[in-house]
Amino acid sequence: MGRHRTDELDDGYRASEPPPRRRSKNSRGRVLVPLAGAVAMAVLLGVAAFVIFNRDHDCTAGKLPLRVVATPDIQPALNKIAGNYNKAMHSIDSKCVEVSVTKEAAARTANALAAGKSKADFWVADSSLLMESMRAISGKDTLPQVEGSIASSPVVLAAAKASAEKLSGALQPSWTAMVSAANVANVDGPGRKVRVLALDPQKNSAGLAALLAAAGTAKEAGQDKALVGALKELSGQLAPDSNALLASLTVKSGSRVPVGVTTEQAIHAHNTKKPEAPVVALYPKEGTLSLDYPVTILTKDTGVLKAATDFKQELSSESAKKVLRAAGFRSADGKAGDALSEDKGFTPEAPVALDPPDGATVTRMVQTWTRLNLGSRLLTLLDVSGTMALPVPGTGMTRMQAINKIAAEGLGLFPAGSEIGLWTFSTHLDGKGKDWKENVPVGPLSESIDGALRKDVMASTLAQMRAKATGDTGLNDTVKAAYGQLTKTYQQDKVNTLLILTDGAGNDDPDGGVKNSEIIQYLTKTYNPKRPISILLIAFGPDAKKGKKQMETLAKATGGEAYIAENILQVRDFFLQGMERRLCTPNCDG
């Protein structure tokens, strides 16, 4: 029978029996024993190392998804950082974190959050300014607070490299110069040589930052009215995003050099994709605001929250910062990488930082933009009474010609989408007892009337207008009729205004009609602050001041304003002041 093994520790022999004597051949046995021990030790050490390694990279419980949403400009860089992070197998509660980064405009994400429909765990917006504006629009504090910044990109002016040299004599890089160039009422300013393009501040963070920077510097420089004119003009020059804006800078359009507003990083990205049509950054001399790319953790899940905190820490690592700088971003402290070198059209040193506005300032600016860009619905009443045929001393014009010029100047400030109409008034102008006549019905300037645009019909009608030699001034009857019609046809999405252009003699109706006290009573009773229709009255001529008190009473009854023009050029300011009043309507006078 075979030998039975009774003790593995004693090599299969009983401890009381001596082991059989082994043969020795060239001492090989003495070599193999320690070698076998070394191999065993290596295996044990390997197992120990495996156990230690997987203690931090333990994926035995599966994967832990972390859904990151980021704005389109920073998403590619974050996607690269996330890829490196995933390869490193970061483990949370025996699950390996798997980060996915999708792109979505910050405004869209903010709207989804406000509606409770966002599925993101982790959000990287492009600016805390936009988040403040979204809070203002939603009217409630539905957005969570940010938890720090991971990058920055200054908002700058931009021009095609090929045309940048032409700007030196027309526009020095500054916010005040941009406001002056964009001011629709400054027809003799730098706007003759420069066309300013902008981004919608309600949809684009760079556009909002530019608006806030320009508004702040304009206020300090006393450019309040110029700012209103600029904002009104820029509302019709908006690009949907930075890509479209930068592409348009390199396309020739007339003799004016296009200048836009965007971020350094957007310029870098454009030049990388389109090196044949490079754009250069122009840094405003007053300083600027920057996009700060705030991080917001949205998840409430305990495990995912741990993963989000870990990934947030990864974004502050030097390796992550290098990826971001290579993509044209600066670090949160303003440090630039090789992507923003001088030979590439940038200034590596961080530009002067303007003081960031507080939440209240952001809210006011957003409301200002919104109200300024409400559509305009304007009915103009033009005085054609006999006194309008009298000359205006020192001008070589009659009052009629001067008023027509004022009308053409003012109406030229309104964009094509505005709804405008024209009535003339005197006495018995459209049959016995009717003191007004509808010359051009209220409607969009871009709409066709008998084959011609309303804008052109307005211009030709004004040019042919003549005073009625025997006519008196049936102002009150006309105002009552016009105000009543605007009230009946009121449009909620527009600023509804009654504009009166006269030589300022007031109401003069030998046939009686509506008395001064009666028209004030009518306006006071009819005016509705929830559906405001304001009267803007502009008078020009030597008799204008005589009727100032009456005209002011008339306008104030509707929250409006009356202006006395001493020269034609003043009308630009008056129209801008009238536009300014829409910002405070219906509480302009307390």
Side-chain angles (χ1 to χ4, degrees):
M1 292 180 65
R3 187 172 52 195
H4 292 280
R5 182 174 178 176
T6 60
D7 191 338
E8 294 182 2
L9 294 176
D10 293 316
D11 202 20
Y13 291 89
R14 293 181 183 275
S16 59
E17 298 180 3
R21 189 172 180 178
R22 296 178 180 165
R23 291 186 304 170
S24 174
K25 188 175 181 180
N26 299 329
S27 301
R28 291 176 63 187
R30 286 193 294 270
V31 175
L32 289 174
V33 170
L35 179 62
V39 171
M41 182 63 71
V43 171
L44 289 172
L45 289 174
V47 171
F50 178 79
V51 171
I52 293 171
F53 177 80
N54 279 280
R55 192 174 297 158
D56 293 327
H57 306 270
D58 179 10
C59 300
T60 56
K63 296 179 180 180
L64 179 60
L66 178 65
R67 298 166 297 185
V68 177
V69 171
T71 51
D73 52 350
I74 204 170
Q75 187 268 345
L78 291 185
N79 199 44
K80 185 174 182 179
I81 295 170
N84 296 334
Y85 178 88
N86 292 341
K87 289 177 183 177
M89 300 174 66
H90 290 253
S91 178
I92 302 291
D93 299 333
S94 299
K95 294 181 180 180
C96 272
V97 181
E98 187 173 71
V99 180
S100 61
V101 186
T102 57
K103 61 183 177 182
E104 185 174 71
R108 185 171 181 178
T109 306
N111 285 329
L113 282 172
K117 297 181 179 180
S118 175
K119 296 181 179 180
D121 302 314
F122 191 107
W123 179 29
V124 180
D126 49 10
S127 174
S128 51
L129 291 175
L130 182 65
M131 295 175 71
E132 288 292 341
S133 74
M134 295 305 296
R135 284 190 176 93
I137 292 172
S138 65
K140 51 186 177 180
D141 194 12
T142 54
L143 300 180
Q145 296 299 316
V146 301
E147 300 186 24
S149 168
I150 62 169
S152 65
S153 189
V155 175
V156 297
L157 305 183
K161 185 176 181 179
S163 59
E165 293 182 359
K166 299 178 184 177
L167 288 173
S168 58
L171 181 76
Q172 294 300 316
S174 71
W175 295 115
T176 52
M178 188 200 74
V179 168
S180 181
N183 182 7
V184 66
N186 188 10
V187 294
D188 299 319
R192 292 182 298 114
K193 297 181 179 180
V194 176
R195 180 168 63 93
V196 181
L197 305 178
L199 296 166
D200 190 341
Q202 289 185 307
K203 299 177 181 178
N204 189 285
S205 296
L208 177 60
L211 174 62
L212 290 163
T217 54
K219 186 176 182 63
E220 290 184 4
Q223 285 187 313
D224 289 8
K225 287 195 291 291
L227 177 65
V228 174
L231 297 184
K232 194 61 188 174
E233 174 69 7
L234 291 176
S235 65
Q237 303 285 341
L238 296 177
D241 54 44
S242 289
N243 291 335
L245 184 146
L246 291 170
S248 66
L249 296 180
T250 61
V251 178
K252 292 184 177 180
S253 178
S255 59
R256 295 194 298 166
V257 177
V259 177
V261 179
T262 186
T263 63
E264 274 185 338
Q265 193 279 332
I267 295 174
H268 163 77
H270 170 87
N271 291 345
T272 301
K273 296 175 183 177
K274 299 183 178 181
E276 75 286 354
V279 171
V280 295
L282 306 173
Y283 296 84
K285 67 178 184 180
E286 303 97 336
T288 190
L289 296 172
S290 295
L291 303 193
D292 57 347
Y293 298 92
V295 168
T296 308
I297 296 178
L298 306 174
T299 182
K300 303 298 183 183
D301 181 274
T302 304
V304 181
L305 183 60
K306 292 179 183 179
T309 302
D310 192 60
F311 185 61
K312 176 190 169 188
Q313 185 175 352
E314 176 69 17
L315 292 177
S316 65
S317 68
E318 188 55 35
S319 60
K321 290 178 181 178
K322 286 182 179 179
V323 172
L324 289 165
R325 286 196 291 263
F329 296 96
R330 294 175 182 264
S331 300
D333 60 4
K335 181 180 178 181
D338 294 338
L340 300 178
S341 61
E342 287 187 14
D343 63 314
K344 295 178 181 178
F346 301 96
T347 300
E349 183 180 354
V352 175
L354 294 174
D355 291 334
D358 57 24
T361 300
V362 175
T363 299
R364 283 196 303 271
M365 203 66 247
V366 171
Q367 291 172 343
T368 294
W369 176 264
T370 301
R371 293 188 69 87
L372 272 176
N373 289 282
L374 285 173
S376 295
R377 192 163 189 269
L378 179 78
L379 174 55
T380 300
L381 304 183
L382 181 63
D383 188 350
V384 292
S385 59
T387 55
M388 294 293 286
L390 298 174
V392 179
T395 66
M397 293 185 289
T398 65
R399 296 181 186 181
M400 186 81 260
Q401 291 170 328
I403 290 293
N404 286 350
K405 184 174 177 61
I406 286 175
E409 285 267 2
L411 297 177
L413 300 179
F414 291 85
S418 301
E419 295 191 7
I420 294 180
L422 175 66
W423 289 11
T424 49
F425 69 95
S426 179
T427 49
H428 309 299
L429 200 59
D430 191 21
K432 184 68 174 177
K434 188 177 179 182
D435 295 340
W436 65 93
K437 180 179 181 181
E438 183 182 65
N439 303 85
V440 181
V442 176
L445 286 175
S446 58
E447 187 177 70
S448 179
I449 300 178
D450 297 330
L453 294 179
R454 179 177 269 98
K455 179 180 179 180
D456 297 329
V457 173
M458 289 280 293
S460 61
T461 301
L462 288 170
Q464 298 170 22
M465 200 66 66
R466 298 292 182 270
K468 181 180 179 182
T470 59
D472 294 301
T473 310
L475 176 63
N476 291 347
D477 284 27
T478 304
V479 168
K480 184 177 181 180
Y483 202 85
Q485 179 166 313
L486 284 178
T487 299
K488 292 177 182 178
T489 58
Y490 181 86
Q491 293 190 16
Q492 191 71 41
D493 63 337
K494 294 181 175 61
V495 176
N496 298 255
T497 306
L498 181 63
L499 170 64
I500 304 171
L501 298 174
T502 180
D503 62 359
N507 186 68
D508 179 20
D509 189 351
D511 297 324
V514 178
K515 296 180 174 62
N516 289 342
S517 60
E518 293 173 340
I519 190 62
I520 299 303
Q521 185 179 10
Y522 168 78
L523 292 174
T524 302
K525 181 180 179 180
T526 308
Y527 177 73
N528 182 352
K530 294 183 180 180
R531 294 164 59 90
I533 302 171
S534 298
I535 291 178
L536 174 62
L537 195 153
I538 299 177
F540 179 75
D543 296 329
K545 292 183 179 180
K546 296 179 183 179
K548 182 179 180 181
K549 185 176 181 180
Q550 180 193 346
M551 290 186 292
E552 287 182 340
T553 303
L554 193 71
K556 294 289 184 182
T558 62
E561 193 71 66
Y563 302 99
I564 307 297
E566 296 182 359
N567 60 68
I568 296 297
L569 296 179
Q570 275 187 302
V571 73
R572 298 173 185 171
D573 283 345
F574 293 157
F575 269 90
L576 291 182
Q577 288 176 43
M579 289 180 180
E580 276 188 290
R581 289 190 69 83
R582 70 172 57 189
L583 307 182
C584 55
T585 300
N587 302 307
C588 294
D589 302 305

